[in-house]
Amino acid sequence: MDEIVTEIITMVPRDVPEYARPMEGRFGMGLHRGVAIAMQRFLELPGTAEPALGPDSRRVYAELGRGSTAPGGSSGRCWAPTAPGPG
């Protein structure tokens, strides 16, 4: 699954300009962890009644969200690719 996570992360800056930052350090680690959690949950959840996110996962995504609203960031643009409707 590491190859899939890496491939997704390489596409993020192209599709979400606010995330076009150096992938070293805290940001890169957080993004990698967030994508890995999302992929793992995608595989684990079908057929269960579990919530999509637990407390630890929520913290990871909250941190990434705070980063997207830092100066120069936009949470609206960040999440736009996941919104339903015309693209």
Side-chain angles (χ1 to χ4, degrees), residues 80-86:
T82 66

Side-chain angles (χ1 to χ4, degrees), residues 1-85:
M1 182 163 33
D2 280 341
E3 289 179 18
I4 294 170
V5 170
T6 300
E7 182 66 23
I8 291 169
I9 289 171
T10 62
M11 294 185 307
V12 167
R14 182 193 72 203
D15 295 334
V16 186
E18 287 80 1
Y19 279 20
R21 306 178 195 178
M23 292 296 161
E24 299 83 28
R26 187 174 176 183
F27 175 75
M29 289 187 310
L31 184 59
H32 188 275
R33 185 164 183 226
V35 172
I37 288 169
M39 293 303 300
Q40 190 63 41
R41 298 303 290 161
F42 176 77
L43 296 173
E44 293 174 346
L45 284 176
T48 73
E50 293 180 34
L53 299 174
D56 290 338
S57 300
R58 288 180 192 278
R59 278 192 285 280
V60 169
Y61 295 119
E63 282 292 319
L64 286 171
R66 275 192 283 284
S68 71
T69 59
S74 165
S75 60
R77 290 261 323 189
C78 171
W79 294 109
T82 66

